[in-house]
Amino acid sequence: MEEAIIKVESISKNYKKRKTKEIVTAIEDVSFEVKKGEILGLLGPNGAGKTTTIKTICGLLKPDEGTVYINGYDVTKHRLKSLNHISAVLEGNRNVYWRLTVKENLEYFAGNRGKTRKQVSARIEELLEQFNLKAKENELGSSLSRGMQQKLAVAVAMLADSDVLLLDEPTLGLDIETGYELRKLLKEIVEREGKTIIISTHDMPVVQDLCERTVIINGGKVIADENVDRLISLFETRAYSLTLGTDLSTSQLNRIEATFPIHYLNEKVLDVTLEKENDIYELMDILKVESTKIIKIDRSTVDFEQVFLQLIRKEEDHAISSVN
Ligand SMILES: Nc1ncnc2c1ncn2[C@@H]1O[C@H](COP(=O)(O)OP(=O)(O)O)[C@@H](O)[C@H]1O
Ligand SMILES: [Mg+2]
């Protein structure tokens, strides 16, 4: 089996709120591995702990517990050796200098890495072309649109030519068109460069387009670590669409509501997602009570967004029931 280039081992991180001194658990016991060349989607709703995880992986945050290894090096103990392999694009384009032009940003960054302008000029030209930034090369960072800044930030990260690329919500706040363009660019990078990439996002097309595997976090904990296609097919085997010949009674509806929190009724078509495949018998029982006519039973198709929402919702249902 191929060695993991990134190993995240049981990391936890608490923040202390400045004013109230209240402790906020951002992530708890998060573990996953990423193999060389793999594209991993780190997925979760706002506040789930994505940024905290990404910052811990690239050594910007020290975990309270647990360890991150990159290429075998402990990020906290062997900072330089481990961070040599990694570049990151964090939220808010912090790696774009507003007072420098597009081209100067790239040159400045290369200089920072100890390379002369001459050594990297060909690569910079290539990146300007690839990222469609050539026409803007003499414009200041501050005058660029959010999408342009984001592209520049990714180009700057590419210049480092490291094995691992971390992207924190790369399409956040972009309009549809620029989001699409950036996704296409990232796809090119994925196909051409063979890098290992972690993309944190809650943008489903990004996951569907780019990622083979996804780690889903919610409330700071990993709730799924699975191949994207497998996750979809797993849910698909439990998603049914029933066309009924008669209306459901109120008591039937109540039972369905209680047993299958994830369902949808439109006219006489009932879409349900079962928690376990055997739950289909339970559903049949509910229908049988009133001899409800079943005209047709189909398996529904499921997209990744539905899978994501169901996983998150299931977690929340569990959380609610454990509080009660
Ligand atoms: N500097 C901080 N101080 C206090 N709480 C924080 C800080 N940064 C993040 N948090 C909290 O930690 C949790 C996880 O945040 P974050 O990692 O930014 O999530 P995500 O990137 O998935 O939106 C949230 O509840 C957030 O409010
Ligand atoms: Mg974030």
Side-chain angles (χ1 to χ4, degrees):
M1 217 176 90
E2 193 161 357
E3 247 309 88
I5 186 163
I6 301 174
K7 276 190 195 173
V8 177
E9 271 183 17
S10 296
I11 57 170
S12 300
K13 181 77 193 172
N14 296 315
Y15 292 108
K16 199 191 246 170
K17 281 196 180 162
R18 252 185 226 137
K19 284 188 188 145
T20 56
K21 304 284 177 223
E22 188 192 337
I23 303 281
V24 181
T25 301
I27 51 172
E28 194 181 341
D29 199 21
V30 166
S31 298
F32 59 88
E33 296 190 351
V34 192
K35 291 197 195 91
K36 208 169 163 13
E38 200 171 26
I39 317 299
L40 179 83
L42 181 64
L43 205 61
N46 270 331
K50 301 181 294 296
T51 299
T52 304
T53 305
I54 297 263
K55 281 184 173 170
T56 310
I57 295 174
C58 66
L60 280 172
L61 280 178
K62 194 169 175 284
D64 297 331
E65 274 166 78
T67 317
V68 175
Y69 297 95
I70 298 172
N71 230 3
Y73 295 111
D74 179 334
V75 171
T76 2
K77 288 191 184 132
H78 303 279
R79 243 187 115 70
L80 290 178
K81 273 187 180 145
S82 58
L83 298 187
N84 219 351
H85 294 277
I86 204 165
S87 26
V89 177
L90 297 167
E91 287 174 314
N93 303 317
R94 259 164 284 187
N95 50 351
V96 169
Y97 288 94
W98 286 36
R99 286 158 183 269
L100 300 182
T101 66
V102 167
K103 197 168 178 184
E104 283 166 353
N105 259 288
L106 290 160
E107 288 167 349
Y108 176 77
F109 180 80
N112 250 353
R113 292 249 160 177
K115 288 175 182 159
T116 64
R117 202 185 284 195
K118 221 170 170 184
Q119 281 174 318
V120 289
S121 68
R123 178 65 176 144
I124 287 178
E125 284 306 311
E126 204 179 277
L127 286 167
L128 287 170
E129 293 291 341
Q130 189 190 357
F131 282 74
N132 212 0
L133 286 168
K134 186 70 190 156
K136 304 261 175 191
E137 67 177 359
N138 294 318
E139 292 197 19
L140 288 179
S142 59
S143 72
L144 300 175
S145 67
R146 167 123 180 79
M148 289 281 177
Q149 285 177 359
Q150 191 64 1
K151 284 201 296 182
L152 178 56
V154 178
V156 165
M158 290 301 293
L159 201 53
D161 203 26
S162 38
D163 313 327
V164 179
L165 186 60
L166 305 182
L167 301 166
D168 192 14
E169 307 243 21
T171 57
L172 186 74
L174 303 187
D175 57 71
I176 293 181
E177 208 177 322
T178 326
Y180 177 77
E181 193 193 349
L182 192 64
R183 220 159 70 218
K184 223 174 85 194
L185 266 169
L186 293 175
K187 201 167 177 135
E188 265 175 45
I189 292 170
V190 165
E191 282 161 7
R192 258 205 245 161
E193 318 257 346
K195 284 186 188 303
T196 309
I197 306 182
I198 300 182
I199 307 178
S200 91
T201 188
H202 55 259
D203 186 354
M204 301 304 150
V206 168
V207 181
Q208 252 170 333
D209 255 28
L210 301 170
C211 305
E212 303 142 52
R213 215 179 100 219
T214 176
V215 166
I216 302 180
I217 54 174
N218 193 26
K221 290 185 186 158
V222 174
I223 59 167
D225 179 346
E226 194 52 272
N227 192 296
V228 172
D229 292 337
R230 202 173 313 141
L231 209 51
I232 292 175
S233 65
L234 204 72
F235 272 77
E236 218 146 46
T237 60
R238 302 196 209 134
Y240 291 89
S241 180
L242 287 80
T243 309
L244 308 173
T246 44
D247 284 322
L248 294 164
S249 71
T250 313
S251 83
Q252 279 178 311
L253 278 172
N254 288 342
R255 272 182 75 187
I256 287 170
E257 183 75 44
T259 325
F260 308 106
I262 301 154
H263 70 272
Y264 183 71
L265 183 66
N266 183 24
E267 295 283 320
K268 291 194 176 72
V269 179
L270 175 66
D271 292 311
V272 280
T273 303
L274 312 174
E275 282 212 13
K276 303 182 292 299
E277 228 175 326
N278 270 353
D279 286 348
I280 188 78
Y281 303 118
E282 179 80 24
L283 181 63
M284 290 303 140
D285 280 347
I286 298 173
L287 298 178
K288 202 169 135 193
V289 180
E290 316 256 351
S291 307
T292 307
K293 232 188 189 157
I294 302 169
I295 294 173
K296 197 156 68 111
I297 300 183
D298 293 310
R299 281 263 155 89
S300 317
T301 50
V302 171
D303 68 17
F304 190 68
E305 181 153 27
Q306 286 169 286
V307 172
F308 174 67
L309 290 174
Q310 289 181 20
L311 279 166
I312 299 291
R313 186 158 163 189
K314 210 169 115 189
E315 278 293 305
E316 278 158 10
D317 286 345
H318 283 309
I320 290 164
S321 57
S322 62
V323 166
N324 290 338

